[in-house]
Amino acid sequence: MATDTSDPIPPHKTFDTILVLDFGSQYSHLITRRLREHNVYCEMLPCTQKLSELSWKPKGVILSGGPYSVYWDDAPHVDPAVFDLNVPILGICYGLQEIAWHFGKNVHAGEKREYGHAYLKIEKQRDGHVDRLFKGLEDDVEVWMSHGDKLSNMPEDFAITATTANAPFAGIAHKQKMLYGIQFHPEVTHTPKGRVLLRNFAVDICQCKTDWTMGKFVDQEIARIRALVGDKGQVIGAVSGGVDSTVAAKLMQEAIGERFHAVLVDNGVLRLNEAKQVKETLTKGLGINLTVVDASDRFLGRLKGVTDDPEKKRKIIGNTFIEVFQETAKKIAADAAGSSRAGEIEWLLQGTLYPDVIESISFKGPSATIKTHHNVGGLLEGMHLKLIEPLRELFKDEVRELGTNLGIPEDLVWRHPFPGPGIAIRILGEVTPEQVRIAREADYIFIEEIKAAGLYRKISQAFAALLPVKAVGVMGDKRVHDQVIALRAVETSDFMTADWYPFDGDFLKKVSRRIVNEVEGVCRVVYDITSKPPGTIEME
Ligand code: GLN
């Protein structure tokens, strides 16, 4: 957990930090996101967090929205000690109602729900204190509302700071203390000036420094890793050639050099030339201590004859991976123990990102138990490794920025995601060495053309899949009966929903011509025009 006291230098001890207490709104993580965009560090914890168990003091607290009504018997409430922290507090939607409830129990169900756009009228206050939140905003700015409850009257010592046609209490503030509430959601893009408001809160009102930059994070994180691992400890971790594992590995290398052992398992279903390329980049380019294990035969041997269930492929690949990684880890550990570098391997590197952490700590309801995030549960049997997760505070775009900062090549930093089971799940039907060759070559051409057309960064994920059917074609006057390649390319911001990319005809023509001409065994190319949902991004 973020409050772990065994962590020697957590970011909230180095950076001014805003604490977001999550009441279960679907937008809570966006509050964090927006503040980070202003270079203010921000952490989210469930609304049930006891302040006495918090080992650090935030510069300000934000109470998020949530699906409950504050007057319900089982409604979640913030630890009242938050009001004695003596730091500014901003309540958003449910958060505003929570503040009002705390100070006067004066919230009830409105006659109708208010959902959608509204226009704010800002109440200018003569003493200039309570409306600081709205600095730089004009009357009639657009805000986004999503609530059914409302305040019946003002709690004592509070003033109205903003109204809308439907909401007489769209903004409230305490007349002396730095307590603010807003009924609308500043964190969503439907509130275009919401960013200004959040900045006003964090920077002007809470006085947070805007020093959360990846440059500064690198120094802080390297110091943290060194303090954690000590001068003898060793760390092992798997790398895949993807951006997360590469950035995590580079950070480890900067922190502890050779005492970090990266392992790349070649499962035989990586992209064309991938194992070789990753080795080049990680060792020669980035100086990482890397062991490459070629286990393709073991993987392909086990995949032989598996045609029915895609889940089976995933399981075989997952289990074989753990097996190979474990064997390698034991070997590396034995070598390391015997060498003069001494120190045992005690740590396992994991590329966990902040969205996974948020997922595990976000508030799921008054009765839901918060699931703990750490679960190494015997991944490396018998080795009793502790987890080290240097990216656990970062969002994906921060990881990319960090990667650039660490000198990782651009094309790796901006790489499309690649599934763990590799192209095995892009070969529909049986995975044989011949099918792997065809899928790999077609994929290589497709990606090469996407890059040449300058489209790689516009597209979120693209690949060629091999369909388990044959079609008739005529090549060089000869009738052929060969396989079909399906191209897939999607645009998405979060991978939850996605749409296929609208290539122009000339581009598709060129790719299709090249694949049919250059990849032996293919006589047709089709383009997948299914969005997600109902399709998935991968085909199996
Ligand atoms: N349940 C509360 C309401 O409907 C809060 C909603 C919210 O936070 N979005 O007013």
PDB file of all heavy atoms in Angstrom, residues 23 25 27 64-72 92-95 97 107-108 113 145-150 183 185, ligand 1:
ATOM      1  N   PHE A  23     -14.607   8.075  -2.853  1.00  0.00           N
ATOM      2  CA  PHE A  23     -15.915   7.561  -2.430  1.00  0.00           C
ATOM      3  C   PHE A  23     -16.547   6.680  -3.501  1.00  0.00           C
ATOM      4  O   PHE A  23     -17.751   6.469  -3.502  1.00  0.00           O
ATOM      5  CB  PHE A  23     -16.846   8.730  -2.074  1.00  0.00           C
ATOM      6  CG  PHE A  23     -16.537   9.352  -0.744  1.00  0.00           C
ATOM      7  CD1 PHE A  23     -15.642  10.409  -0.654  1.00  0.00           C
ATOM      8  CD2 PHE A  23     -17.118   8.868   0.409  1.00  0.00           C
ATOM      9  CE1 PHE A  23     -15.345  10.982   0.576  1.00  0.00           C
ATOM     10  CE2 PHE A  23     -16.829   9.429   1.644  1.00  0.00           C
ATOM     11  CZ  PHE A  23     -15.939  10.487   1.723  1.00  0.00           C
ATOM     12  N   SER A  25     -16.486   7.150  -6.978  1.00  0.00           N
ATOM     13  CA  SER A  25     -16.915   7.729  -8.254  1.00  0.00           C
ATOM     14  C   SER A  25     -16.085   7.126  -9.382  1.00  0.00           C
ATOM     15  O   SER A  25     -14.929   6.773  -9.207  1.00  0.00           O
ATOM     16  CB  SER A  25     -16.692   9.239  -8.234  1.00  0.00           C
ATOM     17  OG  SER A  25     -16.511   9.736  -9.539  1.00  0.00           O
ATOM     18  N   TYR A  27     -14.937   8.714 -11.664  1.00  0.00           N
ATOM     19  CA  TYR A  27     -13.975   9.726 -12.130  1.00  0.00           C
ATOM     20  C   TYR A  27     -12.847  10.005 -11.147  1.00  0.00           C
ATOM     21  O   TYR A  27     -12.010  10.863 -11.424  1.00  0.00           O
ATOM     22  CB  TYR A  27     -14.684  11.062 -12.381  1.00  0.00           C
ATOM     23  CG  TYR A  27     -15.917  10.959 -13.233  1.00  0.00           C
ATOM     24  CD1 TYR A  27     -17.150  11.373 -12.754  1.00  0.00           C
ATOM     25  CD2 TYR A  27     -15.842  10.436 -14.526  1.00  0.00           C
ATOM     26  CE1 TYR A  27     -18.286  11.275 -13.528  1.00  0.00           C
ATOM     27  CE2 TYR A  27     -16.975  10.336 -15.306  1.00  0.00           C
ATOM     28  CZ  TYR A  27     -18.192  10.745 -14.803  1.00  0.00           C
ATOM     29  OH  TYR A  27     -19.302  10.654 -15.572  1.00  0.00           O
ATOM     30  N   SER A  64     -13.849  12.880  -3.139  1.00  0.00           N
ATOM     31  CA  SER A  64     -14.353  12.650  -4.500  1.00  0.00           C
ATOM     32  C   SER A  64     -15.874  12.528  -4.515  1.00  0.00           C
ATOM     33  O   SER A  64     -16.533  12.578  -3.479  1.00  0.00           O
ATOM     34  CB  SER A  64     -13.765  11.357  -5.053  1.00  0.00           C
ATOM     35  OG  SER A  64     -14.512  10.246  -4.604  1.00  0.00           O
ATOM     36  N   GLY A  65     -16.408  12.326  -5.710  1.00  0.00           N
ATOM     37  CA  GLY A  65     -17.824  11.998  -5.848  1.00  0.00           C
ATOM     38  C   GLY A  65     -18.037  10.537  -5.486  1.00  0.00           C
ATOM     39  O   GLY A  65     -17.085   9.815  -5.176  1.00  0.00           O
ATOM     40  N   GLY A  66     -19.280  10.129  -5.509  1.00  0.00           N
ATOM     41  CA  GLY A  66     -19.566   8.732  -5.203  1.00  0.00           C
ATOM     42  C   GLY A  66     -21.023   8.423  -5.465  1.00  0.00           C
ATOM     43  O   GLY A  66     -21.845   9.334  -5.542  1.00  0.00           O
ATOM     44  N   PRO A  67     -21.352   7.154  -5.612  1.00  0.00           N
ATOM     45  CA  PRO A  67     -22.718   6.776  -5.993  1.00  0.00           C
ATOM     46  C   PRO A  67     -23.720   6.748  -4.829  1.00  0.00           C
ATOM     47  O   PRO A  67     -24.895   6.496  -5.054  1.00  0.00           O
ATOM     48  CB  PRO A  67     -22.526   5.355  -6.551  1.00  0.00           C
ATOM     49  CG  PRO A  67     -21.321   4.834  -5.864  1.00  0.00           C
ATOM     50  CD  PRO A  67     -20.438   6.016  -5.574  1.00  0.00           C
ATOM     51  N   TYR A  68     -23.294   7.029  -3.608  1.00  0.00           N
ATOM     52  CA  TYR A  68     -24.191   6.898  -2.452  1.00  0.00           C
ATOM     53  C   TYR A  68     -24.882   8.214  -2.149  1.00  0.00           C
ATOM     54  O   TYR A  68     -24.604   9.229  -2.767  1.00  0.00           O
ATOM     55  CB  TYR A  68     -23.386   6.435  -1.227  1.00  0.00           C
ATOM     56  CG  TYR A  68     -22.474   5.304  -1.578  1.00  0.00           C
ATOM     57  CD1 TYR A  68     -21.163   5.548  -1.983  1.00  0.00           C
ATOM     58  CD2 TYR A  68     -22.958   3.997  -1.608  1.00  0.00           C
ATOM     59  CE1 TYR A  68     -20.344   4.515  -2.384  1.00  0.00           C
ATOM     60  CE2 TYR A  68     -22.141   2.963  -2.006  1.00  0.00           C
ATOM     61  CZ  TYR A  68     -20.836   3.228  -2.400  1.00  0.00           C
ATOM     62  OH  TYR A  68     -20.041   2.207  -2.812  1.00  0.00           O
ATOM     63  N   SER A  69     -25.780   8.187  -1.198  1.00  0.00           N
ATOM     64  CA  SER A  69     -26.379   9.402  -0.671  1.00  0.00           C
ATOM     65  C   SER A  69     -25.918   9.528   0.762  1.00  0.00           C
ATOM     66  O   SER A  69     -26.030   8.564   1.533  1.00  0.00           O
ATOM     67  CB  SER A  69     -27.906   9.313  -0.746  1.00  0.00           C
ATOM     68  OG  SER A  69     -28.302   9.448  -2.099  1.00  0.00           O
ATOM     69  N   VAL A  70     -25.417  10.709   1.124  1.00  0.00           N
ATOM     70  CA  VAL A  70     -24.798  10.863   2.454  1.00  0.00           C
ATOM     71  C   VAL A  70     -25.749  10.538   3.597  1.00  0.00           C
ATOM     72  O   VAL A  70     -25.325  10.163   4.681  1.00  0.00           O
ATOM     73  CB  VAL A  70     -24.229  12.290   2.692  1.00  0.00           C
ATOM     74  CG1 VAL A  70     -22.925  12.464   1.969  1.00  0.00           C
ATOM     75  CG2 VAL A  70     -25.219  13.356   2.313  1.00  0.00           C
ATOM     76  N   TYR A  71     -27.091  10.652   3.338  1.00  0.00           N
ATOM     77  CA  TYR A  71     -28.059  10.436   4.424  1.00  0.00           C
ATOM     78  C   TYR A  71     -28.472   8.967   4.565  1.00  0.00           C
ATOM     79  O   TYR A  71     -29.273   8.625   5.405  1.00  0.00           O
ATOM     80  CB  TYR A  71     -29.294  11.332   4.206  1.00  0.00           C
ATOM     81  CG  TYR A  71     -29.826  11.291   2.793  1.00  0.00           C
ATOM     82  CD1 TYR A  71     -30.641  10.243   2.361  1.00  0.00           C
ATOM     83  CD2 TYR A  71     -29.484  12.290   1.881  1.00  0.00           C
ATOM     84  CE1 TYR A  71     -31.104  10.197   1.062  1.00  0.00           C
ATOM     85  CE2 TYR A  71     -29.948  12.243   0.580  1.00  0.00           C
ATOM     86  CZ  TYR A  71     -30.762  11.193   0.166  1.00  0.00           C
ATOM     87  OH  TYR A  71     -31.203  11.137  -1.123  1.00  0.00           O
ATOM     88  N   TRP A  72     -27.962   8.091   3.718  1.00  0.00           N
ATOM     89  CA  TRP A  72     -28.260   6.664   3.892  1.00  0.00           C
ATOM     90  C   TRP A  72     -27.583   6.142   5.149  1.00  0.00           C
ATOM     91  O   TRP A  72     -26.484   6.598   5.503  1.00  0.00           O
ATOM     92  CB  TRP A  72     -27.737   5.846   2.696  1.00  0.00           C
ATOM     93  CG  TRP A  72     -28.501   6.044   1.429  1.00  0.00           C
ATOM     94  CD1 TRP A  72     -29.681   6.713   1.277  1.00  0.00           C
ATOM     95  CD2 TRP A  72     -28.119   5.581   0.130  1.00  0.00           C
ATOM     96  NE1 TRP A  72     -30.064   6.694  -0.050  1.00  0.00           N
ATOM     97  CE2 TRP A  72     -29.125   6.003  -0.775  1.00  0.00           C
ATOM     98  CE3 TRP A  72     -27.037   4.852  -0.361  1.00  0.00           C
ATOM     99  CZ2 TRP A  72     -29.069   5.717  -2.136  1.00  0.00           C
ATOM    100  CZ3 TRP A  72     -26.980   4.566  -1.715  1.00  0.00           C
ATOM    101  CH2 TRP A  72     -27.996   4.997  -2.582  1.00  0.00           C
ATOM    102  N   ILE A  92     -15.988  17.347  -3.888  1.00  0.00           N
ATOM    103  CA  ILE A  92     -16.557  17.354  -5.233  1.00  0.00           C
ATOM    104  C   ILE A  92     -17.823  16.496  -5.224  1.00  0.00           C
ATOM    105  O   ILE A  92     -17.762  15.312  -4.916  1.00  0.00           O
ATOM    106  CB  ILE A  92     -15.543  16.793  -6.250  1.00  0.00           C
ATOM    107  CG1 ILE A  92     -14.316  17.702  -6.339  1.00  0.00           C
ATOM    108  CG2 ILE A  92     -16.200  16.614  -7.619  1.00  0.00           C
ATOM    109  CD1 ILE A  92     -13.194  17.167  -7.218  1.00  0.00           C
ATOM    110  N   CYS A  93     -18.960  17.082  -5.545  1.00  0.00           N
ATOM    111  CA  CYS A  93     -20.232  16.371  -5.635  1.00  0.00           C
ATOM    112  C   CYS A  93     -20.561  15.663  -4.312  1.00  0.00           C
ATOM    113  O   CYS A  93     -20.880  16.329  -3.347  1.00  0.00           O
ATOM    114  CB  CYS A  93     -20.220  15.423  -6.826  1.00  0.00           C
ATOM    115  SG  CYS A  93     -21.884  15.017  -7.372  1.00  0.00           S
ATOM    116  N   TYR A  94     -20.450  14.339  -4.250  1.00  0.00           N
ATOM    117  CA  TYR A  94     -20.678  13.663  -2.966  1.00  0.00           C
ATOM    118  C   TYR A  94     -19.788  14.306  -1.901  1.00  0.00           C
ATOM    119  O   TYR A  94     -20.196  14.461  -0.754  1.00  0.00           O
ATOM    120  CB  TYR A  94     -20.362  12.163  -3.086  1.00  0.00           C
ATOM    121  CG  TYR A  94     -20.678  11.351  -1.833  1.00  0.00           C
ATOM    122  CD1 TYR A  94     -21.878  10.668  -1.715  1.00  0.00           C
ATOM    123  CD2 TYR A  94     -19.758  11.265  -0.783  1.00  0.00           C
ATOM    124  CE1 TYR A  94     -22.174   9.931  -0.567  1.00  0.00           C
ATOM    125  CE2 TYR A  94     -20.045  10.535   0.362  1.00  0.00           C
ATOM    126  CZ  TYR A  94     -21.256   9.858   0.468  1.00  0.00           C
ATOM    127  OH  TYR A  94     -21.539   9.126   1.593  1.00  0.00           O
ATOM    128  N   GLY A  95     -18.599  14.700  -2.294  1.00  0.00           N
ATOM    129  CA  GLY A  95     -17.647  15.323  -1.372  1.00  0.00           C
ATOM    130  C   GLY A  95     -18.200  16.613  -0.775  1.00  0.00           C
ATOM    131  O   GLY A  95     -18.053  16.875   0.420  1.00  0.00           O
ATOM    132  N   GLN A  97     -21.401  17.277  -0.528  1.00  0.00           N
ATOM    133  CA  GLN A  97     -22.514  16.861   0.336  1.00  0.00           C
ATOM    134  C   GLN A  97     -21.994  16.303   1.654  1.00  0.00           C
ATOM    135  O   GLN A  97     -22.584  16.510   2.715  1.00  0.00           O
ATOM    136  CB  GLN A  97     -23.373  15.836  -0.412  1.00  0.00           C
ATOM    137  CG  GLN A  97     -24.028  16.439  -1.654  1.00  0.00           C
ATOM    138  CD  GLN A  97     -24.534  15.394  -2.642  1.00  0.00           C
ATOM    139  OE1 GLN A  97     -24.480  14.196  -2.392  1.00  0.00           O
ATOM    140  NE2 GLN A  97     -25.015  15.852  -3.789  1.00  0.00           N
ATOM    141  N   VAL A 107     -28.696  17.544   3.913  1.00  0.00           N
ATOM    142  CA  VAL A 107     -28.716  17.094   2.521  1.00  0.00           C
ATOM    143  C   VAL A 107     -29.918  16.172   2.358  1.00  0.00           C
ATOM    144  O   VAL A 107     -30.226  15.382   3.241  1.00  0.00           O
ATOM    145  CB  VAL A 107     -27.430  16.308   2.172  1.00  0.00           C
ATOM    146  CG1 VAL A 107     -27.467  15.821   0.729  1.00  0.00           C
ATOM    147  CG2 VAL A 107     -26.194  17.151   2.426  1.00  0.00           C
ATOM    148  N   HIS A 108     -30.606  16.297   1.248  1.00  0.00           N
ATOM    149  CA  HIS A 108     -31.755  15.410   1.009  1.00  0.00           C
ATOM    150  C   HIS A 108     -31.888  15.171  -0.488  1.00  0.00           C
ATOM    151  O   HIS A 108     -31.184  15.789  -1.296  1.00  0.00           O
ATOM    152  CB  HIS A 108     -33.030  16.042   1.582  1.00  0.00           C
ATOM    153  CG  HIS A 108     -33.387  17.309   0.871  1.00  0.00           C
ATOM    154  ND1 HIS A 108     -34.425  17.408  -0.007  1.00  0.00           N
ATOM    155  CD2 HIS A 108     -32.792  18.529   0.886  1.00  0.00           C
ATOM    156  CE1 HIS A 108     -34.464  18.644  -0.497  1.00  0.00           C
ATOM    157  NE2 HIS A 108     -33.494  19.332   0.033  1.00  0.00           N
ATOM    158  N   ARG A 113     -33.182  14.709 -10.808  1.00  0.00           N
ATOM    159  CA  ARG A 113     -31.735  14.576 -10.955  1.00  0.00           C
ATOM    160  C   ARG A 113     -31.217  15.659 -11.878  1.00  0.00           C
ATOM    161  O   ARG A 113     -31.940  16.122 -12.764  1.00  0.00           O
ATOM    162  CB  ARG A 113     -31.398  13.219 -11.591  1.00  0.00           C
ATOM    163  CG  ARG A 113     -31.561  12.044 -10.669  1.00  0.00           C
ATOM    164  CD  ARG A 113     -31.077  10.774 -11.348  1.00  0.00           C
ATOM    165  NE  ARG A 113     -29.663  10.886 -11.731  1.00  0.00           N
ATOM    166  CZ  ARG A 113     -28.658  10.715 -10.880  1.00  0.00           C
ATOM    167  NH1 ARG A 113     -28.888  10.414  -9.634  1.00  0.00           N
ATOM    168  NH2 ARG A 113     -27.409  10.832 -11.287  1.00  0.00           N
ATOM    169  N   MET A 145     -22.590  18.369 -14.441  1.00  0.00           N
ATOM    170  CA  MET A 145     -23.271  17.956 -13.215  1.00  0.00           C
ATOM    171  C   MET A 145     -23.713  16.505 -13.317  1.00  0.00           C
ATOM    172  O   MET A 145     -24.065  16.038 -14.409  1.00  0.00           O
ATOM    173  CB  MET A 145     -24.541  18.789 -13.028  1.00  0.00           C
ATOM    174  CG  MET A 145     -24.301  20.253 -12.771  1.00  0.00           C
ATOM    175  SD  MET A 145     -23.927  20.452 -11.024  1.00  0.00           S
ATOM    176  CE  MET A 145     -24.082  22.233 -10.881  1.00  0.00           C
ATOM    177  N   SER A 146     -23.734  15.816 -12.202  1.00  0.00           N
ATOM    178  CA  SER A 146     -24.237  14.454 -12.181  1.00  0.00           C
ATOM    179  C   SER A 146     -24.652  14.110 -10.756  1.00  0.00           C
ATOM    180  O   SER A 146     -23.918  13.479 -10.027  1.00  0.00           O
ATOM    181  CB  SER A 146     -23.139  13.517 -12.658  1.00  0.00           C
ATOM    182  OG  SER A 146     -23.469  12.195 -12.383  1.00  0.00           O
ATOM    183  N   HIS A 147     -25.834  14.618 -10.354  1.00  0.00           N
ATOM    184  CA  HIS A 147     -26.266  14.364  -8.970  1.00  0.00           C
ATOM    185  C   HIS A 147     -27.778  14.389  -8.856  1.00  0.00           C
ATOM    186  O   HIS A 147     -28.479  14.914  -9.717  1.00  0.00           O
ATOM    187  CB  HIS A 147     -25.663  15.416  -8.029  1.00  0.00           C
ATOM    188  CG  HIS A 147     -26.210  16.786  -8.255  1.00  0.00           C
ATOM    189  ND1 HIS A 147     -26.964  17.460  -7.329  1.00  0.00           N
ATOM    190  CD2 HIS A 147     -26.134  17.605  -9.324  1.00  0.00           C
ATOM    191  CE1 HIS A 147     -27.307  18.636  -7.811  1.00  0.00           C
ATOM    192  NE2 HIS A 147     -26.818  18.753  -9.020  1.00  0.00           N
ATOM    193  N   GLY A 148     -28.271  13.796  -7.755  1.00  0.00           N
ATOM    194  CA  GLY A 148     -29.705  13.790  -7.491  1.00  0.00           C
ATOM    195  C   GLY A 148     -30.008  14.429  -6.156  1.00  0.00           C
ATOM    196  O   GLY A 148     -31.101  14.941  -5.930  1.00  0.00           O
ATOM    197  N   ASP A 149     -29.020  14.438  -5.258  1.00  0.00           N
ATOM    198  CA  ASP A 149     -29.222  15.019  -3.927  1.00  0.00           C
ATOM    199  C   ASP A 149     -28.864  16.491  -3.941  1.00  0.00           C
ATOM    200  O   ASP A 149     -28.122  16.941  -4.807  1.00  0.00           O
ATOM    201  CB  ASP A 149     -28.315  14.298  -2.919  1.00  0.00           C
ATOM    202  CG  ASP A 149     -28.650  12.820  -2.822  1.00  0.00           C
ATOM    203  OD1 ASP A 149     -29.826  12.475  -3.071  1.00  0.00           O
ATOM    204  OD2 ASP A 149     -27.739  12.025  -2.539  1.00  0.00           O
ATOM    205  N   LYS A 150     -29.415  17.222  -2.980  1.00  0.00           N
ATOM    206  CA  LYS A 150     -28.975  18.608  -2.854  1.00  0.00           C
ATOM    207  C   LYS A 150     -29.006  19.091  -1.415  1.00  0.00           C
ATOM    208  O   LYS A 150     -29.620  18.457  -0.544  1.00  0.00           O
ATOM    209  CB  LYS A 150     -29.764  19.522  -3.756  1.00  0.00           C
ATOM    210  CG  LYS A 150     -31.267  19.468  -3.550  1.00  0.00           C
ATOM    211  CD  LYS A 150     -31.948  19.931  -4.782  1.00  0.00           C
ATOM    212  CE  LYS A 150     -32.462  21.321  -4.803  1.00  0.00           C
ATOM    213  NZ  LYS A 150     -33.178  21.587  -6.038  1.00  0.00           N
ATOM    214  N   GLN A 183     -20.527  21.285  -6.561  1.00  0.00           N
ATOM    215  CA  GLN A 183     -21.481  20.250  -6.899  1.00  0.00           C
ATOM    216  C   GLN A 183     -21.138  19.592  -8.236  1.00  0.00           C
ATOM    217  O   GLN A 183     -21.489  18.461  -8.500  1.00  0.00           O
ATOM    218  CB  GLN A 183     -22.895  20.854  -6.926  1.00  0.00           C
ATOM    219  CG  GLN A 183     -24.004  19.860  -7.074  1.00  0.00           C
ATOM    220  CD  GLN A 183     -23.999  18.810  -5.971  1.00  0.00           C
ATOM    221  OE1 GLN A 183     -24.288  19.088  -4.813  1.00  0.00           O
ATOM    222  NE2 GLN A 183     -23.648  17.585  -6.319  1.00  0.00           N
ATOM    223  N   HIS A 185     -18.404  18.424 -11.515  1.00  0.00           N
ATOM    224  CA  HIS A 185     -17.159  17.644 -11.605  1.00  0.00           C
ATOM    225  C   HIS A 185     -16.091  18.406 -12.405  1.00  0.00           C
ATOM    226  O   HIS A 185     -16.183  18.470 -13.623  1.00  0.00           O
ATOM    227  CB  HIS A 185     -17.435  16.304 -12.282  1.00  0.00           C
ATOM    228  CG  HIS A 185     -18.190  15.358 -11.418  1.00  0.00           C
ATOM    229  ND1 HIS A 185     -17.567  14.496 -10.544  1.00  0.00           N
ATOM    230  CD2 HIS A 185     -19.518  15.148 -11.265  1.00  0.00           C
ATOM    231  CE1 HIS A 185     -18.475  13.795  -9.900  1.00  0.00           C
ATOM    232  NE2 HIS A 185     -19.670  14.165 -10.319  1.00  0.00           N
TER     233      HIS A 185
HETATM  234  N1  GLN B   1     -25.199  10.392  -4.746  1.00  0.00           N
HETATM  235  C1  GLN B   1     -24.980  11.795  -4.754  1.00  0.00           C
HETATM  236  C2  GLN B   1     -26.045  12.503  -5.589  1.00  0.00           C
HETATM  237  O1  GLN B   1     -26.703  11.884  -6.393  1.00  0.00           O
HETATM  238  C3  GLN B   1     -23.569  12.151  -5.265  1.00  0.00           C
HETATM  239  C4  GLN B   1     -23.376  11.908  -6.725  1.00  0.00           C
HETATM  240  C5  GLN B   1     -21.957  12.123  -7.184  1.00  0.00           C
HETATM  241  O2  GLN B   1     -21.034  12.257  -6.405  1.00  0.00           O
HETATM  242  N2  GLN B   1     -21.770  12.119  -8.502  1.00  0.00           N
HETATM  243  O3  GLN B   1     -26.211  13.689  -5.430  1.00  0.00           O
END
